[in-house]
Amino acid sequence: MLDYESLKIIWWLLVGVLLLGFAIMDGHDMGVGTLLPFVGKTDLERRVVINTVGPHWDGNQVWFITGGGAIFAAWPLVYATAFSGFYWAMLAVLWALFFRPVGFDYRSKIENTTWRTTWDWGLFVGGFVPPVIFGVAFGNLLQGVPFHFDDNLVSYYTGTFWELLNPFALLAGVVSSAMITFQGANYLMHRTEGAIFERTRIWAMLSGLVMIATFILAGFFVAGLPGFVITSSVDPGALPNPMDKSVVIQVGAWLDNFNAQPLLWALPALGVLGGLAGVVLAYLRKPLTAFVASSLAMAGIIGTAGVAMFPFVMPSSSDPRSSLTVWDAVSSHLTLGLMFWATVIFMPLIIFYTSWAYKVMAGKITTDFIKAHDKAAY
Amino acid sequence: MTETMIELSRLQFAATAMYHFLFVPLTLGLSFLLVIMESIYVVTGKTIYKDMTKFWGKLFGINFALGVTTGITMEFQFGTNWAYYSHYVGDIFGAPLAIEGLMAFFLESTLIGLFFFGWDKLSRHKHLLVTTLLAVASNLSALWILIANGWMQDPVGAEFSYTTMRMELTSFWDVMFNPTAQAKFVHTVSAGYVTGSMFVLGISSWYLLKGRDVEFARRSFRIAAAFGFASALSVIVLGDESGYAMTESQKSKLAAIEAMWETEPAPAGFNLLAWPNDATQSNDWQVEIPWVLGLIATRSTTEQIPGIKEIRAQNLERIESGILAVKALERLRKNKDDADAKLVFDAHQKNLGYGLLLKKYSPDVAQATPAMIQQAAHDTVPQVAPLFWTFRIMVVLGFAFALLFGLAFWYSLKNTFVEKTWLLRWAVWFIPMPWIAAEMGWFVAEYGRQPWSIFGVLPTHLSVSTLSEGSLYGSLAGFLGFYTLLLVAELYLMFKFARLGPSSLGTGKYHHETAAA
């Protein structure tokens, strides 16, 4: 069995992998949802757009659900503290997601313009709102969140919902939304043709450029942001107890990891260069490679945020000692090991049958296809 | 933490969980019926069975959408509203939830797209494989969720750590093969199969009564009758198994369900009907069948089942020991090398949860008055009347299903069911009943576990997140609003497509299409 310290680091990587899997997979259908009202002008066109992700959105959404479950199992204190602290933000994500299953499945079952338009906007909300909120949440994590624990490790969140909507967090929300829209646009181009393809192409280039610009801007912001540093000695193999450390807040500390390991600058570089490549490829009408490029860009962007904060996961601005880190917010050695093996066994299987499903359903969705499958298609 | 806040958190969880379970059982049962129908299609090549799979699959999809929607709430609500619970037992409880996602829900959700949209793209055998794996995955999903819930009822394979201030996993094997969890799993999926069968049987009966799409309805009826009969029998037998497991793990729930106040000489009698009175701690009247409870619950004629009063008296002692555990724990939290505190803690650790029960009345448990201790001991058995009645409604319905499906199966063997209009009408009116039985069953399981969220380990009132009452009123209102709208949309579509019947497939062969032409 792997030692406790290695498992703690592996789980930080695995949560990152799940997050990236979510961004690539659920991200592209959320991006398609975001674009739906704008690139589909008629009911038939909107049905084309919806059916590009129709057979897949449900499986993709499980990246999100499994991500939540994995954080529960591997980082129970993070799951408990973040979800309850960000109560209204989490509910907004949840309620936005409500529109998706019913939007996809119920929309085209009734031929009524009001009914269908309502669900189109529902699908827009379900695709647009969650990425914005995740971005805003990340923006807040980078600044620290006001919470503390008592002696029994009961967590108390002392901020308000409105405090979450500060300028830096909103900027992070824009990065996230642009990134997901970009991803969705590249996918949608790959699966469509004609007018929808052309409209989507403009959106792809636009959202790609917004993503790059806001990501760079956020990078400059972070350099001047107070970061968090553990000042007590860390025993990475110790039993987790967040109250056992001391932490100070230092401006610019989020750059420490990059400065200590200059190779890590490759991550923000990947975010920018992957983004640029994606924009150029969208311009050249090569959506599949553009999709790969935007996926790499997301790996760079998410990786940058994760590495900047490492080993912190959820720093506390009001009581820095209560900050949650990869060392002290984790499950027991046994649970981390068990979940590691469960992931190692099932993740390749998931990737295998997901790829198969995409292969079976491959090809362009056209208006003729929808007309021919009027009753069966979404 | 206020009492209102705790009550609101419980109400929200109960409402969202019970609402989620309106959609789960049909998914569990109907998915296997789809497998049966499609298998017959693949073997015989008769298109009508393909149409059956597609039509019942359409209704399956309408239901599935809301199952997914409301399931996400469940996955996140532990974190949003039960933060201390999530911290305290996440080390054990989180694992089955995550594995459910990895092993089952991913597969189920990926394949459902191929089930609906893969008809023209996959060979007949491959499509059947997709449908089969879809059914297996949805049932595996239920397995992991019930392993998690089984652990709440009977927390095996874990121990408390005072360093990390939480329960930690010691044996995943024990958690997975927890007898309580396994008994719950088979009982719950059987209930799902009954639900799926009732749904198909009832709607098919309606077509038969209307004389519409008779061939389609007859075939559906027969499949549902056979599958439903087997399921209705197994739900009873496995429910009994669940009861047996409960005798071991939760005597308080058993005693409350049976309104058994006093410990009776073995084998105890079964109260068929009674009027439980919590104030006098006795039944105002009761109709008892001698021996039966003792035989069901202990499977012996000699083993005694403790009554409510005895359970409360035993728990009083456990609470007194628990106070010492809580106080020793407080000292260990300040200094983990305190050898004396460690000694006391080890001696009383198994009653830690019972000591924590007192926190409802006194934040410092050492200050608790004898009256508070008495009250906490009283709390360890939930209110009797709600459990007594919900359990009996569930059981009566269970036997009614067995009878209905038995007759349906019998007349489908004799091939005379189409003429038995009384039977068909009964089947139509009984469509909602499996849902009522399932909700009653969950009420018994969860309300019967009170005052615990983790039986004997963590009291419900300590499990909540520290939220404001305003937030909880707001979120509860939001859930009620959203869920009502969604339910209206779902029922509207369900009724619309059930009424349309196979004509909704657009094949041109069925009632509304041929009538119009």
Side-chain angles (χ1 to χ4, degrees), chain A residues 168-238:
Chain A
F168 176 72
L170 291 173
L171 179 65
V174 177
V175 178
S176 172
S177 178
M179 170 172 114
I180 296 300
T181 310
F182 186 34
Q183 179 79 353
N186 288 333
Y187 174 81
L188 189 56
M189 281 159 67
H190 177 57
R191 297 297 303 277
T192 54
E193 54 184 28
I196 302 174
F197 181 99
E198 294 305 328
R199 282 180 215 131
T200 310
R201 180 166 158 263
I202 306 290
W203 280 97
M205 294 187 290
L206 197 67
S207 54
L209 291 173
V210 171
M211 175 191 86
I212 297 163
T214 48
F215 176 57
I216 294 173
L217 189 61
F220 283 109
F221 245 111
V222 166
L225 218 59
F228 292 72
V229 182
I230 302 179
T231 49
S232 51
S233 69
V234 175
D235 173 7

Side-chain angles (χ1 to χ4, degrees), chain B residues 10 21 101-102 137 191 197 200 209 215 235 245 264 267 283 300 319 330 336 338 350 356 366 387 421 454 471:
Chain B
R10 287 182 64 194
F21 212 75
L102 287 166
S197 307
V200 174
L209 285 168
E215 269 317 294
V235 86
E264 291 173 35
N283 296 328
S300 83
I319 290 169
E330 282 167 8
K336 62 175 180 274
D338 186 336
K350 68 174 192 302
L356 294 175
L387 287 168
T421 49
I454 304 293
S471 285

Side-chain angles (χ1 to χ4, degrees), chain A residues 79 83 87 106 152 155 332, chain B residues 62 75-76 84 91 466 475:
Chain A
Y79 175 79
F83 282 38
Y87 191 66
Y106 292 0
N152 295 320
S155 68
S332 65
Chain B
I62 294 170
E75 180 93 12
F76 290 88
Y84 198 60
D91 195 58
T466 52
S475 59

Side-chain angles (χ1 to χ4, degrees), chain A residues 4 8 71-79 81 149 239-242 245 311 313-314 322-332 336, chain B residues 87 166:
Chain A
Y4 203 13
K8 287 179 182 179
I71 292 175
F72 196 174
W75 292 347
L77 261 182
V78 175
Y79 175 79
T81 312
F149 292 109
L239 288 177
N241 178 5
K245 63 179 179 300
V313 176
M314 186 172 176
S322 290
S323 296
L324 297 173
T325 71
V326 297
W327 313 123
D328 56 27
V330 295
S331 292
S332 65
L336 284 188
Chain B
H87 153 66
R166 67 182 180 197

Side-chain angles (χ1 to χ4, degrees), chain A residues 11 14-15 18 62-76 79 331 335-336 338-344 346-347 350 353, chain B residues 75 78 90-107 140-141 144-145 147-148 172:
Chain A
W11 265 102
L14 282 182
V15 171
L18 285 168
V62 184
W63 283 95
F64 175 65
I65 294 164
T66 300
I71 292 175
F72 196 174
W75 292 347
Y79 175 79
S331 292
T335 301
L336 284 188
L338 170 85
M339 288 310 303
F340 169 70
W341 288 110
T343 312
V344 166
F346 288 109
M347 199 44 75
I350 290 164
Y353 57 68
Chain B
E75 180 93 12
F78 293 103
D91 195 58
I92 306 105
F93 190 83
L97 292 196
I99 295 175
E100 186 261 347
L102 287 166
M103 181 195 276
F105 198 47
F106 249 122
L107 185 61
L140 269 179
S141 229
W144 288 105
I145 298 303
I147 286 174
F172 190 65

Side-chain angles (χ1 to χ4, degrees), chain B residues 343-407:
Chain B
L343 217 59
V344 180
F345 186 72
D346 285 345
H348 296 277
Q349 182 182 347
K350 68 174 192 302
N351 294 322
L352 176 65
Y354 287 81
L356 294 175
L357 282 174
L358 273 175
K359 293 217 168 188
K360 184 173 179 185
Y361 302 106
S362 169
D364 179 3
V365 297
Q367 303 292 320
T369 62
M372 289 173 181
I373 297 174
Q374 198 73 42
Q375 183 59 43
H378 189 269
D379 293 347
T380 58
V381 179
Q383 274 195 48
V384 173
L387 287 168
F388 183 88
W389 289 112
T390 47
F391 179 76
R392 271 153 191 76
I393 294 171
M394 176 185 78
V395 171
V396 166
L397 285 173
F399 283 103
F401 297 138
L403 183 64
L404 171 58
F405 280 111
L407 290 168

Side-chain angles (χ1 to χ4, degrees), chain A residues 22-147:
Chain A
F22 162 73
I24 292 174
M25 300 306 291
D26 211 16
H28 79 244
D29 60 53
M30 285 183 167
V32 169
T34 306
L35 293 168
L36 171 68
F38 310 109
V39 299
K41 299 289 181 196
T42 62
D43 177 56
L44 204 57
E45 284 183 354
R46 288 188 179 179
R47 288 187 76 178
V48 169
V49 174
I50 290 169
N51 278 282
T52 60
V53 290
H56 307 299
W57 69 270
D58 197 357
N60 292 340
Q61 184 154 294
V62 184
W63 283 95
F64 175 65
I65 294 164
T66 300
I71 292 175
F72 196 174
W75 292 347
L77 261 182
V78 175
Y79 175 79
T81 312
F83 282 38
S84 60
F86 294 152
Y87 191 66
W88 280 103
M90 286 309 299
L91 286 180
V93 170
L94 193 62
W95 291 346
L97 289 175
F98 281 179
F99 289 106
R100 279 160 50 91
V102 281
F104 280 114
D105 197 66
Y106 292 0
R107 177 199 182 276
S108 299
K109 286 201 157 64
I110 291 179
E111 267 181 68
N112 172 299
T113 315
T114 316
W115 172 269
R116 289 190 174 181
T117 314
T118 307
W119 288 119
D120 288 342
W121 284 101
L123 287 172
F124 167 78
V125 169
F128 177 74
V129 172
V132 172
I133 293 183
F134 292 142
V136 169
F138 255 96
N140 279 288
L141 290 180
L142 280 158
Q143 299 171 85
V145 180
F147 73 93

Side-chain angles (χ1 to χ4, degrees), chain B residues 222-457:
Chain B
R222 298 179 83 139
I223 293 171
F227 189 62
F229 184 50
S231 311
L233 292 182
S234 78
V235 86
I236 294 172
V237 173
L238 299 166
D240 168 63
E241 189 64 34
S242 233
Y244 183 62
M246 181 166 67
T247 316
E248 291 300 309
S249 58
Q250 284 187 32
K251 296 186 167 62
S252 51
K253 186 188 280 174
L254 181 71
I257 286 173
E258 299 308 342
M260 197 173 83
W261 302 94
E262 312 288 342
T263 308
E264 291 173 35
F270 173 77
N271 288 329
L272 188 65
L273 285 177
W275 198 258
N277 186 331
D278 273 299
T280 61
Q281 299 211 45
S282 64
N283 296 328
D284 292 352
W285 52 264
Q286 62 191 42
V287 182
E288 188 185 298
I289 314 175
W291 281 45
V292 170
L293 177 61
L295 295 178
I296 293 176
T298 68
R299 293 182 187 164
S300 83
T301 53
T302 51
E303 208 179 315
Q304 267 196 350
I305 308 167
I308 293 170
K309 288 180 183 171
E310 184 182 334
I311 292 169
R312 283 178 174 152
Q314 286 169 355
N315 288 340
L316 189 80
E317 288 168 26
R318 296 195 70 171
I319 290 169
E320 277 164 349
S321 153
I323 294 173
L324 301 176
V326 173
K327 294 312 289 178
L329 175 62
E330 282 167 8
R331 283 161 64 195
L332 283 168
R333 291 292 299 166
K334 294 208 162 58
N335 172 17
K336 62 175 180 274
D337 302 318
D338 186 336
D340 180 51
K342 176 91 175 63
L343 217 59
V344 180
F345 186 72
D346 285 345
H348 296 277
Q349 182 182 347
K350 68 174 192 302
N351 294 322
L352 176 65
Y354 287 81
L356 294 175
L357 282 174
L358 273 175
K359 293 217 168 188
K360 184 173 179 185
Y361 302 106
S362 169
D364 179 3
V365 297
Q367 303 292 320
T369 62
M372 289 173 181
I373 297 174
Q374 198 73 42
Q375 183 59 43
H378 189 269
D379 293 347
T380 58
V381 179
Q383 274 195 48
V384 173
L387 287 168
F388 183 88
W389 289 112
T390 47
F391 179 76
R392 271 153 191 76
I393 294 171
M394 176 185 78
V395 171
V396 166
L397 285 173
F399 283 103
F401 297 138
L403 183 64
L404 171 58
F405 280 111
L407 290 168
F409 184 56
W410 173 249
Y411 288 119
S412 79
L413 286 181
K414 292 179 59 175
N415 208 8
T416 53
F417 61 93
V418 181
E419 302 131 41
K420 306 281 181 235
T421 49
W422 58 270
L423 181 70
L424 302 178
R425 264 191 226 107
W426 182 7
V428 175
W429 284 108
F430 241 55
I431 293 175
M433 297 306 166
W435 278 272
I436 293 173
E439 297 290 343
M440 296 291 150
W442 274 112
F443 179 85
V444 169
E446 300 298 288
Y447 185 81
R449 194 188 54 237
Q450 301 305 320
W452 307 100
S453 58
I454 304 293
F455 190 82
V457 170

